[in-house]
Amino acid sequence: MQLVVARIGRAHGIKGEVTVEVRTDEPELRLGPGAVLATEPAATGPLTIETGRVHSGRLLLRFAGVTDRTGAEALRNTLLIADVDPQQTPEDPEEFYDHQLMDLDVVLADGTEVGRITEITHLPSQDLFIVERPDGSEVMIPFVEEIVTEIDLEEQRAVIDPPPGLIDDAQAEVAGARDDD
């Protein structure tokens, strides 16, 4: 199975280093020197990581054969893809790979069906589940502990406790609304 582990950003300096937007919780495992990664677009790779370091809070990588800024700039926006055993799981039991979460049934705590996870969107501040509802519409569920209370891989379900209005507009509470009694 292939997982996107990073996206190459802009060049850094003149010796072929690039900034990297990390998309894995295990960068030391996936993005270490010697790692060979497939790419998207495929014609750009595979790329072998020669060196890696953190500079001002950003991961910088240098790839074998990329020795100058021009070569580094040519890699911008390339996705780095690692081959992962589909049976492998993250070390932390509270972490999941995207492929483990895809197609999980999403239910409320009382068992009411909400839908099925069809996509996972990774944003800078949090991840979102894109959930297809039984009527074909989609709803976005933030993948945060306060809302997604349980992931049960054996039962193939995610249990959620959504705030009012997240999944059903009829439940929305209007802030500042007053009773006209």
Side-chain angles (χ1 to χ4, degrees), residues 157-173:
R157 67 182 189 152
V159 179
I160 65 169
D161 181 15
L166 182 66
I167 61 171
D168 187 0
D169 291 337
Q171 293 178 350
E173 295 176 8

Side-chain angles (χ1 to χ4, degrees), residues 1-180:
M1 160 160 282
Q2 295 190 319
L3 296 177
V4 174
V5 293
R7 183 183 66 81
I8 298 175
R10 60 185 176 78
H12 179 83
I14 60 171
K15 297 184 180 182
E17 284 185 311
V18 293
T19 61
V20 176
E21 176 189 312
V22 177
R23 294 189 179 175
T24 176
D25 291 331
E26 302 168 317
E28 63 286 341
L29 177 66
R30 309 270 181 233
L31 300 171
V36 178
L37 302 167
T39 60
E40 179 61 42
T44 307
L47 294 173
T48 302
I49 297 175
E50 204 168 79
T51 63
R53 66 186 177 104
V54 176
H55 175 72
S56 298
R58 294 209 49 113
L59 179 61
L60 302 178
L61 296 179
R62 182 176 306 139
F63 300 99
V66 180
T67 58
D68 60 15
R69 186 174 185 89
T70 303
E73 276 297 333
L75 297 175
R76 191 173 193 159
N77 293 321
T78 298
L79 296 178
L80 300 175
I81 302 166
D83 283 318
V84 177
D85 179 348
Q87 302 305 315
Q88 183 180 355
T89 59
E91 290 181 18
D92 184 342
E94 297 295 315
E95 293 178 5
F96 303 94
Y97 292 134
D98 286 3
H99 71 273
Q100 294 175 294
L101 301 171
M102 291 298 294
D103 293 323
L104 290 184
D105 292 323
V106 178
V107 298
L108 300 177
D110 66 5
T112 303
E113 178 185 12
V114 174
R116 180 180 55 84
I117 298 172
T118 57
E119 185 180 336
I120 299 165
T121 301
H122 301 280
L123 302 174
S125 60
Q126 67 190 15
D127 297 333
L128 289 175
F129 290 159
I130 308 302
V131 177
E132 184 178 321
R133 302 196 56 161
D135 65 5
S137 65
E138 290 184 337
V139 63
M140 292 183 277
I141 308 289
F143 186 22
V144 294
E145 192 174 352
E146 296 80 18
I147 297 173
V148 181
T149 59
E150 178 185 357
I151 298 289
D152 187 337
L153 295 178
E154 285 185 22
E155 295 292 323
Q156 287 291 290
R157 67 182 189 152
V159 179
I160 65 169
D161 181 15
L166 182 66
I167 61 171
D168 187 0
D169 291 337
Q171 293 178 350
E173 295 176 8
V174 178
R178 292 180 268 167
D179 290 332
D180 292 331

